[in-house]
Amino acid sequence: MLPKVDRRYRPEMAEVDEDDDSITRWVARHYRFDPERHERRHVVVGVYDNEREWQHRIDAVTADIARRRAAGEDVDRREHPTGTVLRPGDRGRAATAHLVRRAMEHGVHPAGILRERELPSSMVVFGVDESGESFSFGGST
């Protein structure tokens, strides 16, 4: 399912599914007030499979904010474009990290999960097993 995007910006380029964890995704966001949720947040305005199209969307958001400010509209000073790159497997690794954390919170040793799945590079689990052997999973490679 494609993410709900802000149609204030014309979709000149083909967009990809933000949840497609098999490809690299460049996600363009607009930090602004979201009337549907009644809060300021990073609203997805486009998801692309290459940096050039992503940069084009970031530039379009920047230009729109500048245009509205120049026209005298009441634009929140905190409003700005943001973006992130989601690498293949990022969602799966994040889900594994969540599962490992929850297992540990409930007193369950996550060794079975850790042997079968990959952790994000920002997470490491280490310790000593029942036989006294040390182990570690995850971390940057």
Side-chain angles (χ1 to χ4, degrees), residues 9-133:
Y9 312 103
R10 288 194 344 253
E12 295 122 6
M13 298 142 300
E15 295 184 9
V16 297
D17 185 355
E18 184 178 3
D19 295 323
D20 183 353
D21 209 23
S22 67
I23 62 171
T24 300
R25 288 97 58 214
W26 281 263
V27 182
R29 297 179 176 137
H30 183 169
Y31 184 76
R32 64 176 177 81
F33 182 77
D34 182 356
E36 289 181 20
R37 292 182 45 179
H38 305 287
E39 65 183 0
R40 278 184 197 79
R41 69 183 195 98
H42 295 273
V43 178
V44 173
V45 294
V47 183
Y48 306 97
D49 62 357
N50 68 70
E51 187 175 6
R52 182 186 56 78
E53 292 176 351
W54 170 82
Q55 187 62 56
H56 183 77
R57 180 53 48 100
I58 293 292
D59 293 345
V61 173
T62 302
D64 179 63
I65 293 169
R67 179 196 55 76
R68 290 185 297 118
R69 280 192 177 125
E73 291 184 32
D74 185 23
V75 178
D76 188 331
R77 64 181 175 76
R78 294 168 284 194
E79 193 171 328
H80 62 278
T82 64
T84 190
V85 178
L86 301 175
R87 303 284 179 205
D90 277 354
R91 296 267 170 139
R93 287 185 292 273
T96 299
H98 177 78
L99 187 60
V100 167
R101 182 181 60 83
R102 296 291 292 161
M104 293 173 73
E105 288 174 351
H106 290 278
V108 177
H109 194 291
I113 300 166
L114 295 168
R115 285 187 194 97
E116 297 174 10
R117 299 183 184 188
E118 187 179 352
L119 286 172
S121 62
S122 61
M123 183 177 186
V124 65
V125 176
F126 58 91
V128 178
D129 65 17
E130 298 82 21
S131 65
E133 293 292 317

